[in-house]
């Protein structure tokens, strides 16, 4: 039980404040027993598995109104405080959160940042990087994510010929943002969100993907990136260059960059859920990710029925879900469908999955090493051909702070999903 889960339960009125307080107390009594020993990330240990240093030059909207059930009504600010008993217990619960959750007042040992959700690991899968062929494709990808899935523009940077853009659903910083206020602020204002990093090199001549040439992604090692969102707009995906493969309860779409994505209507603390990989050898892929600090976790769902309905499929048969932390996005290792041809061809538009880690002390590492040096970004390739990079936390922290885009002023109430535009179709 963590802060995200408690807020989600409270905002959807699945539990009372008294029940949530009991859950919190019970969870904290076992937190130290569940904590996993940190993977000893250091420069020397990473060098042992490094392949090469990262080349830095190189429908309509469907809405769900609550996570409690498909038929529940939308929670409003007034109804949230309607019951006087809940209003009285609120300060007690918030005080309990701040004093009993490890890491809320000081950084946890062997953790990334100060968020209590990440105190079980010294690394997290923070983002994925994709390459686009030209500026038109870059702009299409940004609009596709923003208008189709409600991604936000988080960060942007232009260095020489390279333009970097980060899209996500909330702050990426590994701390509780200064403007986050319980219980008014929404999950979209909390820290620790993952992102999609769009990279455009104006001097590159490679054509990673051309929309319209084929109805399938340019490679088959990346099955899809799954997002669980309160609503998506198929018409906007098509408008900005997406190709809809199917949309029966969920939507599978090839983005204008060639990145396959799956959208599910639901609510989850971070709508970016995981990267699904087609594996030629499931065992070797699992061993690879376990070697770099991933562990098997409970498969994530974004709807209350957990894969038992038509709007969210169950965990694929024989698949394995791994993540460095139970609260970060992870990878879903899939066995290819034997009925379909599988060539294990790397998707040229998919550059890498990016891990942010806190280096551990190692006598073999130089005391004068600059963690912000780009030479500290290391890259390996997994057995399915997907790149994986490692970036020290200090370097990520400085980069994230200096590339932020000023957010628009908005106030979102916990439990109230974004309003559907005129003419949108709502799921009940």
């Amino acid at each position: 039980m963590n802060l995200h889960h408690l807020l989600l339960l409270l905002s959807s009125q699945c539990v009372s404040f008294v029940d949530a307080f009991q859950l919190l107390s019970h969870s904290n009594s076992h937190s130290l027993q569940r904590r996993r020993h940190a993977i000893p990330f250091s420069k020397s240990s990473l060098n042992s598995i490094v392949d090469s240093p990262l080349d830095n030059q190189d429908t309509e909207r469907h809405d769900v109104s609550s996570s409690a059930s498909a038929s529940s009504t939308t929670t409003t600010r007034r109804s949230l405080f309607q019951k006087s008993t809940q209003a009285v217990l609120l300060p007690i619960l918030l005080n309990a959160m701040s004093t009993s959750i490890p890491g809320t007042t000081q950084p946890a040992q062997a953790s990334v940042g100060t968020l209590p959700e990440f105190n079980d690991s010294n690394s997290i899968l923070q983002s994925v990087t994709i390459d686009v062929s030209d500026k038109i494709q870059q702009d299409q990808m940004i609009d596709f994510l923003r208008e189709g899935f409600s991604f936000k523009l988080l960060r942007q940077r232009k260095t020489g010929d390279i333009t970097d853009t980060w899209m996500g659903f909330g702050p990426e910083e590994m701390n509780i943002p200064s403007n986050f206020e319980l219980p008014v602020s929404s999950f979209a204002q909390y820290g620790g969100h993952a992102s999609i990093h769009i990279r455009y090199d104006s001097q590159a001549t490679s054509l990673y993907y051309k929309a319209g040439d084929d109805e399938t992604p340019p490679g088959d090692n990346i099955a899809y990136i799954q997002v669980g969102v309160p609503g998506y707009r198929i018409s906007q995906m098509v408008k900005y260059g997406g190709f809809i493969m199917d949309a029966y309860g969920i939507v599978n779409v090839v983005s204008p960059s060639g990145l396959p994505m799956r959208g599910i209507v639901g609510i989850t603390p971070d709508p970016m859920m995981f990267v699904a990989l087609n594996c030629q050898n499931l065992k070797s892929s699992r061993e690879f990710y376990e070697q770099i600090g991933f562990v098997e976790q409970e498969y994530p769902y974004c709807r209350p029925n957990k894969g038992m309905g038509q709007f969210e499929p169950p965990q694929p048969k024989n698949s394995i879900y791994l993540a460095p932390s139970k609260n970060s996005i992870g990878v879903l290792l899939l066995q290819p469908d034997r009925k379909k041809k599988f060539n294990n061809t790397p998707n040229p538009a998919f550059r890498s999955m990016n891990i942010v880690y806190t280096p551990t002390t190692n006598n073999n590492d130089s005391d004068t090493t600059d963690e912000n040096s780009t030479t500290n970004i290391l890259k390996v390739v997994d057995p399915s051909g997907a790149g994986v990079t490692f970036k020290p936390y200090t370097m990520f922290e400085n980069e994230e702070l200096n590339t932020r885009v000023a957010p628009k002023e908005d106030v979102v109430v916990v439990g109230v999903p974004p309003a559907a535009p005129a003419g949108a179709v709502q799921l009940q």
Side-chain angles (χ1 to χ4, degrees):
M1 179 63 60
N2 56 53
L3 182 59
H4 273 155
H5 295 150
L6 279 173
L7 288 173
L8 186 59
L9 291 171
L10 291 172
S11 64
S12 59
Q13 296 186 342
C14 290
V15 298
S16 67
F17 284 101
V18 175
D19 294 334
F21 183 81
Q22 293 174 346
L23 286 171
L24 178 67
S25 301
H26 176 73
S27 174
N28 288 328
S29 66
H30 299 284
S31 60
L32 292 178
Q33 299 177 17
R34 294 196 309 266
R35 181 165 178 169
R36 179 171 57 84
H37 182 68
I39 299 297
F41 275 111
S42 64
K43 186 176 180 181
S44 58
S45 65
L46 287 177
N47 281 333
S48 65
I49 57 174
V50 163
D51 178 62
S52 62
L54 180 64
D55 183 3
N56 288 283
Q57 300 301 321
D58 308 312
T59 167
E60 303 306 310
R61 176 180 293 270
H62 301 286
D63 290 282
V64 59
S65 58
S66 173
S67 63
S69 67
S71 60
S72 61
T73 58
T74 303
T75 303
T76 63
R77 185 191 297 267
R78 178 174 298 179
S79 63
L80 185 63
F81 293 97
Q82 187 172 7
K83 297 182 181 180
S84 59
T85 54
Q86 293 182 348
V88 170
L89 288 171
L90 178 61
I92 300 175
L93 178 61
L94 299 184
N95 181 67
M97 287 181 182
S98 63
T99 57
S100 60
I101 295 180
T104 53
T105 57
Q106 60 183 2
Q109 293 182 352
S111 62
V112 183
T114 60
L115 288 175
E117 287 78 11
F118 295 150
N119 68 358
D120 61 341
S121 177
N122 65 333
S123 66
I124 65 164
L125 177 54
Q126 195 278 324
S127 64
V128 298
T129 299
I130 58 172
D131 287 312
V132 292
S133 302
D134 51 41
K135 189 177 187 306
I136 293 177
Q137 197 174 82
Q138 172 194 248
D139 295 341
Q140 282 185 325
M141 189 62 187
I142 292 173
D143 290 334
F144 169 87
L145 294 173
R146 180 164 47 199
E147 303 301 327
F149 289 106
S150 299
F151 276 72
K152 299 177 181 178
L153 178 61
L154 302 178
R155 296 189 282 137
Q156 232 170 10
R157 175 184 64 192
K158 183 173 177 58
T159 306
D161 299 322
I162 299 175
T163 302
D164 297 291
T165 305
W166 288 266
M167 305 288 291
F169 293 92
E172 298 170 276
E173 62 177 295
M174 308 297 179
N175 309 293
I176 299 178
S178 58
N179 64 343
F180 183 82
E181 181 180 354
L182 286 170
V184 177
S185 300
S186 72
F187 297 121
Q189 295 172 285
Y190 198 70
H193 284 78
S195 64
I196 293 180
H197 172 202
I198 304 169
R199 184 179 183 275
Y200 166 52
D201 186 347
S202 61
Q203 296 300 312
T205 58
S206 300
L207 183 62
Y208 306 107
Y209 174 71
K210 185 177 180 181
D213 281 357
D214 198 353
E215 298 179 354
T216 59
D220 57 5
N221 66 330
I222 307 298
Y224 52 86
I225 290 182
Q226 179 163 311
V227 296
V229 291
Y232 54 73
R233 302 176 68 186
I234 291 179
S235 62
Q236 297 302 301
M237 298 179 200
V238 174
K239 177 180 178 180
Y240 293 108
F243 177 81
I244 307 299
M245 294 187 287
D246 58 73
Y248 301 99
I250 63 176
V251 61
N252 288 298
V253 56
V254 181
S255 71
S257 68
L259 177 71
M261 297 187 66
R262 170 174 290 182
I264 298 177
V265 175
I267 295 178
T268 184
D270 187 352
M272 279 193 63
M273 299 178 68
F274 55 77
V275 181
L277 303 173
N278 289 319
C279 304
Q280 197 166 34
N281 187 313
L282 200 64
K283 180 180 179 181
S284 62
S285 292
R286 176 173 186 161
E287 290 175 349
F288 170 86
Y289 282 99
E290 288 178 340
Q291 183 184 7
I292 62 174
F294 284 55
V295 295
E296 187 167 1
Q297 308 280 1
E298 180 181 355
Y299 181 78
Y301 290 99
C302 62
R303 295 181 70 93
N305 56 11
K306 294 189 173 183
M308 300 305 292
Q310 60 179 324
F311 299 112
E312 183 174 25
Q315 180 175 359
K317 185 178 180 180
N318 298 324
S319 66
I320 303 172
Y321 178 70
L322 303 168
S325 168
K326 61 180 179 292
N327 293 307
S328 74
I329 64 172
V331 294
L332 179 66
L333 306 182
L334 301 169
Q335 283 188 339
D337 188 346
R338 295 181 179 179
K339 297 180 181 179
K340 299 180 180 179
K341 185 178 180 180
F342 177 65
N343 298 317
N344 194 35
T345 304
N347 187 323
F350 189 91
R351 189 176 184 84
S352 63
M353 291 175 281
N354 308 311
I355 294 174
V356 173
Y357 70 97
T358 299
T360 57
T361 303
N362 190 305
N363 294 331
N364 295 326
D365 292 341
S366 172
D367 293 334
T368 61
T369 298
D370 180 9
E371 288 188 1
N372 293 319
S373 172
T374 55
T375 59
N376 281 334
I377 304 179
L378 306 175
K379 183 177 181 180
V380 297
V381 178
D382 80 351
S384 65
V388 182
T389 70
F390 301 85
K391 179 180 293 187
Y393 171 69
T394 303
M395 182 178 179
F396 165 79
E397 185 179 36
N398 292 337
E399 178 187 77
E400 190 273 333
L401 181 62
N402 294 324
T403 55
R404 290 180 191 173
V405 174
K408 295 180 180 180
E409 293 295 330
D410 58 351
V411 177
V412 183
V413 180
V414 172
V416 180
V425 177
Q426 296 187 7
L427 289 180
Q428 300 298 325

